[in-house]
Amino acid sequence: MIAPARRLAGLLLAVLASLLLAGCTPRQLVVGNVADALAGQGRASENDLELARDAAPFYLKLSESVLQQQPGHLALAESVAGGFTQYAYAFVACEADRLESVDSKGAERLRQRAARLYQRAQRHAVNALELAHSGFVRSLASPQAEDWPRLKPEEVGLAYWAAASWGGWISLSKDDPEVVADLPLAVRLAQLAWASDPAWGQGSLTSLLATFEVARPGGSPARALVLFDQAIAQSAGRSAGALLAKAEGHALPAGNRALFEQLLRQALTIKDAPDSPLTMQNEVMRRRAAWLLEKTDDLF
């Protein structure tokens, strides 16, 4: 999760203090401590979307710089990949969708930027997985299931963000066949993560699998529907994202306007518990749900 701005000042002081102490402390230990702190901030909750948007560039650039010094730090790699992916979706790709009707060229520029941010997130996540499993992508591409990498429980979140950012990048690169050709790898990575921890992210991973099932050639709409419903159940109705995924991934393609509107209105009613890890994601999705409801006549 993108770190709240009000916590970043304290974090920066900790970074500076660590650097000042570097003369008497092994450098890698200092960098490791900073990486731990940044990874922790990346999981912090935030309910002010504008604050999160303004804070994100500083947090992401600082974290990315530290990750370059500690590329094998799984928690920080997960935080960086997740941060770039969420920023690309919430503040760039969604804005492109809103802009499309009044400025198609501006919307396309935003989508190109979102694609680059997704690519950046995917690169960080996959690089960390490669360091943890030598030849990770090569193994993932093998036609033999016995060659596929096995993910440890602590790697599932990293794999989720790798697959999600990969999928986002592919969805905005329809004119680049080399990027689109990697869709089976992104799908397989999500499947491997799901095999290790199917309940990860309160339905987020299951929802991603459902979206991939809809998108992939030869995918089964019936199988996708089962996964969409499973994701909603896993979240116990607390994830607006799971509801929007079903609305946009199932109800809209099926032409089911009543279900589409029902799911969006249900998303708007979700109230977040204090310090819920879904707080910012839900706020993004509530705003998108409200916008989609306004656009319903144009969509059906």
Side-chain angles (χ1 to χ4, degrees), residues 105-143:
K105 290 183 178 179
E108 179 57 26
R109 285 193 296 270
L110 285 176
R111 291 194 179 100
Q112 290 176 7
R113 183 186 178 213
R116 292 192 297 270
L117 290 168
Y118 283 135
Q119 180 185 11
R120 197 163 172 173
Q122 186 266 0
R123 184 178 70 246
H124 286 305
V126 170
N127 182 54
L129 289 168
E130 282 281 355
L131 290 173
H133 304 269
S134 180
F136 183 87
V137 174
R138 184 178 65 251
S139 299
L140 192 66
S142 173

Short mmCIF file of all heavy atoms in Angstrom, two decimals, residues 105-143:
data_model
loop_
_atom_site.label_atom_id
_atom_site.label_comp_id
_atom_site.label_asym_id
_atom_site.label_seq_id
_atom_site.Cartn_x
_atom_site.Cartn_y
_atom_site.Cartn_z
N LYS A 105 -6.73 11.96 -26.99
CA LYS A 105 -5.27 11.97 -27.08
C LYS A 105 -4.64 12.05 -25.69
O LYS A 105 -3.65 11.38 -25.40
CB LYS A 105 -4.79 13.13 -27.95
CG LYS A 105 -5.12 12.96 -29.43
CD LYS A 105 -4.55 14.11 -30.25
CE LYS A 105 -4.84 13.90 -31.73
NZ LYS A 105 -4.31 15.02 -32.57
N GLY A 106 -5.23 12.88 -24.82
CA GLY A 106 -4.74 12.96 -23.45
C GLY A 106 -4.91 11.64 -22.73
O GLY A 106 -4.04 11.22 -21.96
N ALA A 107 -6.04 10.97 -22.97
CA ALA A 107 -6.29 9.67 -22.36
C ALA A 107 -5.26 8.65 -22.82
O ALA A 107 -4.76 7.85 -22.03
CB ALA A 107 -7.70 9.19 -22.69
N GLU A 108 -4.91 8.69 -24.10
CA GLU A 108 -3.92 7.75 -24.62
C GLU A 108 -2.54 8.01 -24.01
O GLU A 108 -1.80 7.06 -23.70
CB GLU A 108 -3.85 7.86 -26.14
CG GLU A 108 -2.83 6.92 -26.80
CD GLU A 108 -3.04 5.45 -26.46
OE1 GLU A 108 -4.19 5.05 -26.16
OE2 GLU A 108 -2.05 4.70 -26.49
N ARG A 109 -2.20 9.28 -23.80
CA ARG A 109 -0.92 9.58 -23.16
C ARG A 109 -0.88 9.01 -21.73
O ARG A 109 0.14 8.47 -21.30
CB ARG A 109 -0.68 11.09 -23.14
CG ARG A 109 -0.27 11.67 -24.47
CD ARG A 109 0.26 13.09 -24.33
NE ARG A 109 -0.77 14.01 -23.85
CZ ARG A 109 -1.59 14.69 -24.65
NH1 ARG A 109 -1.51 14.54 -25.96
NH2 ARG A 109 -2.48 15.53 -24.14
N LEU A 110 -1.98 9.14 -21.03
CA LEU A 110 -2.05 8.59 -19.68
C LEU A 110 -1.95 7.06 -19.70
O LEU A 110 -1.29 6.47 -18.84
CB LEU A 110 -3.35 9.02 -19.00
CG LEU A 110 -3.43 10.47 -18.52
CD1 LEU A 110 -4.81 10.77 -17.96
CD2 LEU A 110 -2.36 10.75 -17.46
N ARG A 111 -2.58 6.43 -20.67
CA ARG A 111 -2.51 4.96 -20.75
C ARG A 111 -1.09 4.51 -21.06
O ARG A 111 -0.64 3.48 -20.55
CB ARG A 111 -3.50 4.45 -21.80
CG ARG A 111 -4.94 4.61 -21.38
CD ARG A 111 -5.89 3.80 -22.24
NE ARG A 111 -7.26 3.99 -21.78
CZ ARG A 111 -8.16 4.81 -22.34
NH1 ARG A 111 -7.81 5.51 -23.42
NH2 ARG A 111 -9.36 4.94 -21.83
N GLN A 112 -0.40 5.26 -21.89
CA GLN A 112 1.00 4.91 -22.17
C GLN A 112 1.85 5.05 -20.91
O GLN A 112 2.73 4.22 -20.65
CB GLN A 112 1.54 5.80 -23.28
CG GLN A 112 0.95 5.50 -24.65
CD GLN A 112 1.43 6.47 -25.72
OE1 GLN A 112 2.31 7.31 -25.50
NE2 GLN A 112 0.86 6.36 -26.92
N ARG A 113 1.57 6.09 -20.12
CA ARG A 113 2.29 6.26 -18.86
C ARG A 113 1.95 5.12 -17.90
O ARG A 113 2.84 4.56 -17.25
CB ARG A 113 1.94 7.60 -18.22
CG ARG A 113 2.74 7.84 -16.94
CD ARG A 113 2.33 9.09 -16.19
NE ARG A 113 3.11 9.21 -14.97
CZ ARG A 113 2.66 9.73 -13.85
NH1 ARG A 113 1.42 10.20 -13.78
NH2 ARG A 113 3.42 9.77 -12.79
N ALA A 114 0.68 4.77 -17.80
CA ALA A 114 0.28 3.67 -16.93
C ALA A 114 0.98 2.37 -17.34
O ALA A 114 1.44 1.60 -16.49
CB ALA A 114 -1.23 3.49 -16.96
N ALA A 115 1.09 2.13 -18.64
CA ALA A 115 1.77 0.92 -19.13
C ALA A 115 3.22 0.91 -18.67
O ALA A 115 3.74 -0.13 -18.26
CB ALA A 115 1.68 0.84 -20.65
N ARG A 116 3.88 2.06 -18.74
CA ARG A 116 5.28 2.13 -18.30
C ARG A 116 5.40 1.88 -16.80
O ARG A 116 6.35 1.23 -16.34
CB ARG A 116 5.88 3.48 -18.66
CG ARG A 116 6.05 3.71 -20.15
CD ARG A 116 6.91 4.94 -20.44
NE ARG A 116 6.32 6.17 -19.95
CZ ARG A 116 5.50 6.94 -20.66
NH1 ARG A 116 5.16 6.60 -21.89
NH2 ARG A 116 5.02 8.07 -20.15
N LEU A 117 4.45 2.38 -16.03
CA LEU A 117 4.47 2.16 -14.58
C LEU A 117 4.22 0.69 -14.24
O LEU A 117 4.86 0.12 -13.36
CB LEU A 117 3.44 3.05 -13.89
CG LEU A 117 3.76 4.54 -13.90
CD1 LEU A 117 2.53 5.35 -13.45
CD2 LEU A 117 4.95 4.86 -13.00
N TYR A 118 3.27 0.08 -14.95
CA TYR A 118 3.03 -1.35 -14.76
C TYR A 118 4.29 -2.16 -15.11
O TYR A 118 4.66 -3.11 -14.40
CB TYR A 118 1.88 -1.82 -15.65
CG TYR A 118 0.50 -1.46 -15.18
CD1 TYR A 118 -0.45 -0.95 -16.09
CD2 TYR A 118 0.10 -1.65 -13.87
CE1 TYR A 118 -1.74 -0.62 -15.67
CE2 TYR A 118 -1.19 -1.33 -13.45
CZ TYR A 118 -2.10 -0.82 -14.36
OH TYR A 118 -3.38 -0.50 -13.96
N GLN A 119 4.93 -1.79 -16.20
CA GLN A 119 6.16 -2.48 -16.61
C GLN A 119 7.23 -2.35 -15.53
O GLN A 119 7.94 -3.31 -15.22
CB GLN A 119 6.66 -1.91 -17.93
CG GLN A 119 7.94 -2.56 -18.43
CD GLN A 119 8.49 -1.89 -19.69
OE1 GLN A 119 8.03 -0.82 -20.08
NE2 GLN A 119 9.45 -2.52 -20.33
N ARG A 120 7.33 -1.18 -14.96
CA ARG A 120 8.32 -0.92 -13.91
C ARG A 120 8.04 -1.80 -12.69
O ARG A 120 8.95 -2.39 -12.11
CB ARG A 120 8.24 0.56 -13.53
CG ARG A 120 9.41 1.12 -12.76
CD ARG A 120 9.31 2.63 -12.88
NE ARG A 120 10.24 3.35 -12.05
CZ ARG A 120 10.39 4.67 -12.12
NH1 ARG A 120 9.68 5.37 -12.98
NH2 ARG A 120 11.27 5.29 -11.34
N ALA A 121 6.76 -1.88 -12.31
CA ALA A 121 6.38 -2.73 -11.18
C ALA A 121 6.70 -4.19 -11.47
O ALA A 121 7.26 -4.91 -10.63
CB ALA A 121 4.88 -2.57 -10.91
N GLN A 122 6.36 -4.62 -12.68
CA GLN A 122 6.61 -6.02 -13.05
C GLN A 122 8.09 -6.34 -13.03
O GLN A 122 8.51 -7.41 -12.57
CB GLN A 122 6.01 -6.29 -14.45
CG GLN A 122 6.07 -7.73 -14.89
CD GLN A 122 7.30 -8.05 -15.75
OE1 GLN A 122 8.13 -7.17 -16.00
NE2 GLN A 122 7.41 -9.29 -16.18
N ARG A 123 8.91 -5.40 -13.50
CA ARG A 123 10.35 -5.62 -13.54
C ARG A 123 10.92 -5.82 -12.13
O ARG A 123 11.72 -6.72 -11.89
CB ARG A 123 11.04 -4.45 -14.23
CG ARG A 123 12.55 -4.66 -14.41
CD ARG A 123 13.18 -3.49 -15.13
NE ARG A 123 13.21 -2.28 -14.31
CZ ARG A 123 12.53 -1.17 -14.57
NH1 ARG A 123 11.74 -1.11 -15.62
NH2 ARG A 123 12.63 -0.12 -13.77
N HIS A 124 10.49 -4.97 -11.19
CA HIS A 124 10.98 -5.10 -9.82
C HIS A 124 10.56 -6.43 -9.20
O HIS A 124 11.36 -7.10 -8.54
CB HIS A 124 10.45 -3.95 -8.96
CG HIS A 124 11.11 -2.63 -9.24
ND1 HIS A 124 12.48 -2.45 -9.18
CD2 HIS A 124 10.58 -1.41 -9.57
CE1 HIS A 124 12.77 -1.19 -9.46
NE2 HIS A 124 11.66 -0.54 -9.70
N ALA A 125 9.30 -6.80 -9.40
CA ALA A 125 8.80 -8.03 -8.79
C ALA A 125 9.46 -9.26 -9.39
O ALA A 125 9.89 -10.17 -8.66
CB ALA A 125 7.28 -8.11 -8.96
N VAL A 126 9.56 -9.31 -10.71
CA VAL A 126 10.14 -10.48 -11.36
C VAL A 126 11.63 -10.58 -11.06
O VAL A 126 12.16 -11.69 -10.87
CB VAL A 126 9.87 -10.44 -12.88
CG1 VAL A 126 10.68 -11.51 -13.61
CG2 VAL A 126 8.39 -10.63 -13.16
N ASN A 127 12.32 -9.45 -10.98
CA ASN A 127 13.74 -9.47 -10.64
C ASN A 127 13.96 -10.09 -9.26
O ASN A 127 14.87 -10.90 -9.06
CB ASN A 127 14.32 -8.06 -10.67
CG ASN A 127 15.80 -8.03 -10.38
OD1 ASN A 127 16.59 -8.73 -11.03
ND2 ASN A 127 16.21 -7.25 -9.39
N ALA A 128 13.10 -9.72 -8.29
CA ALA A 128 13.22 -10.30 -6.95
C ALA A 128 12.93 -11.79 -6.97
O ALA A 128 13.60 -12.57 -6.27
CB ALA A 128 12.26 -9.58 -5.99
N LEU A 129 11.97 -12.22 -7.76
CA LEU A 129 11.67 -13.64 -7.87
C LEU A 129 12.80 -14.39 -8.55
O LEU A 129 13.11 -15.54 -8.20
CB LEU A 129 10.35 -13.85 -8.63
CG LEU A 129 9.08 -13.43 -7.87
CD1 LEU A 129 7.88 -13.39 -8.82
CD2 LEU A 129 8.81 -14.38 -6.71
N GLU A 130 13.44 -13.76 -9.54
CA GLU A 130 14.60 -14.38 -10.19
C GLU A 130 15.75 -14.56 -9.20
O GLU A 130 16.45 -15.58 -9.24
CB GLU A 130 15.06 -13.51 -11.37
CG GLU A 130 14.22 -13.65 -12.63
CD GLU A 130 14.55 -14.90 -13.43
OE1 GLU A 130 15.50 -15.61 -13.06
OE2 GLU A 130 13.84 -15.16 -14.42
N LEU A 131 15.95 -13.58 -8.32
CA LEU A 131 17.01 -13.70 -7.34
C LEU A 131 16.72 -14.80 -6.33
O LEU A 131 17.63 -15.47 -5.84
CB LEU A 131 17.21 -12.36 -6.62
CG LEU A 131 17.82 -11.24 -7.46
CD1 LEU A 131 17.80 -9.93 -6.69
CD2 LEU A 131 19.26 -11.59 -7.85
N ALA A 132 15.44 -14.99 -6.03
CA ALA A 132 15.05 -16.03 -5.08
C ALA A 132 15.04 -17.41 -5.73
O ALA A 132 15.27 -18.43 -5.06
CB ALA A 132 13.67 -15.72 -4.50
N HIS A 133 14.78 -17.47 -7.04
CA HIS A 133 14.70 -18.74 -7.78
C HIS A 133 15.45 -18.54 -9.11
O HIS A 133 14.88 -18.00 -10.06
CB HIS A 133 13.25 -19.12 -8.07
CG HIS A 133 12.37 -19.23 -6.87
ND1 HIS A 133 12.19 -20.40 -6.17
CD2 HIS A 133 11.62 -18.28 -6.23
CE1 HIS A 133 11.37 -20.18 -5.16
NE2 HIS A 133 11.01 -18.91 -5.18
N SER A 134 16.66 -18.96 -9.17
CA SER A 134 17.45 -18.78 -10.39
C SER A 134 16.74 -19.38 -11.59
O SER A 134 16.28 -20.53 -11.55
CB SER A 134 18.83 -19.44 -10.22
OG SER A 134 19.61 -19.27 -11.38
N GLY A 135 16.61 -18.60 -12.67
CA GLY A 135 15.93 -19.07 -13.87
C GLY A 135 14.42 -19.10 -13.71
O GLY A 135 13.74 -19.89 -14.37
N PHE A 136 13.88 -18.20 -12.88
CA PHE A 136 12.45 -18.23 -12.56
C PHE A 136 11.57 -18.13 -13.81
O PHE A 136 10.67 -18.95 -14.02
CB PHE A 136 12.12 -17.08 -11.59
CG PHE A 136 10.69 -17.06 -11.14
CD1 PHE A 136 10.29 -17.79 -10.03
CD2 PHE A 136 9.74 -16.30 -11.81
CE1 PHE A 136 8.96 -17.78 -9.61
CE2 PHE A 136 8.41 -16.27 -11.40
CZ PHE A 136 8.03 -17.02 -10.29
N VAL A 137 11.81 -17.12 -14.64
CA VAL A 137 10.95 -16.92 -15.81
C VAL A 137 11.13 -18.06 -16.81
O VAL A 137 10.16 -18.52 -17.42
CB VAL A 137 11.26 -15.56 -16.48
CG1 VAL A 137 10.48 -15.40 -17.78
CG2 VAL A 137 10.91 -14.41 -15.53
N ARG A 138 12.35 -18.54 -16.96
CA ARG A 138 12.58 -19.68 -17.86
C ARG A 138 11.78 -20.90 -17.39
O ARG A 138 11.15 -21.60 -18.19
CB ARG A 138 14.07 -20.00 -17.91
CG ARG A 138 14.40 -21.13 -18.91
CD ARG A 138 15.90 -21.40 -18.98
NE ARG A 138 16.42 -21.93 -17.71
CZ ARG A 138 17.21 -21.26 -16.89
NH1 ARG A 138 17.57 -20.00 -17.18
NH2 ARG A 138 17.65 -21.80 -15.77
N SER A 139 11.80 -21.15 -16.09
CA SER A 139 11.04 -22.27 -15.54
C SER A 139 9.54 -22.05 -15.72
O SER A 139 8.78 -22.97 -16.03
CB SER A 139 11.35 -22.45 -14.05
OG SER A 139 12.72 -22.74 -13.85
N LEU A 140 9.10 -20.80 -15.54
CA LEU A 140 7.69 -20.47 -15.68
C LEU A 140 7.20 -20.73 -17.10
O LEU A 140 6.05 -21.11 -17.31
CB LEU A 140 7.48 -19.00 -15.31
CG LEU A 140 6.06 -18.49 -15.11
CD1 LEU A 140 5.41 -19.15 -13.90
CD2 LEU A 140 6.06 -16.97 -14.95
N ALA A 141 8.09 -20.53 -18.06
CA ALA A 141 7.72 -20.70 -19.47
C ALA A 141 7.78 -22.14 -19.95
O ALA A 141 7.37 -22.44 -21.08
CB ALA A 141 8.63 -19.84 -20.35
N SER A 142 8.27 -23.04 -19.12
CA SER A 142 8.42 -24.44 -19.53
C SER A 142 7.06 -25.08 -19.77
O SER A 142 6.11 -24.85 -19.01
CB SER A 142 9.16 -25.23 -18.45
OG SER A 142 9.15 -26.61 -18.76
N PRO A 143 6.93 -25.89 -20.83
CA PRO A 143 5.66 -26.59 -21.06
C PRO A 143 5.44 -27.73 -20.07
O PRO A 143 4.33 -28.27 -19.99
CB PRO A 143 5.82 -27.11 -22.49
CG PRO A 143 7.29 -27.24 -22.69
CD PRO A 143 7.92 -26.14 -21.90
#
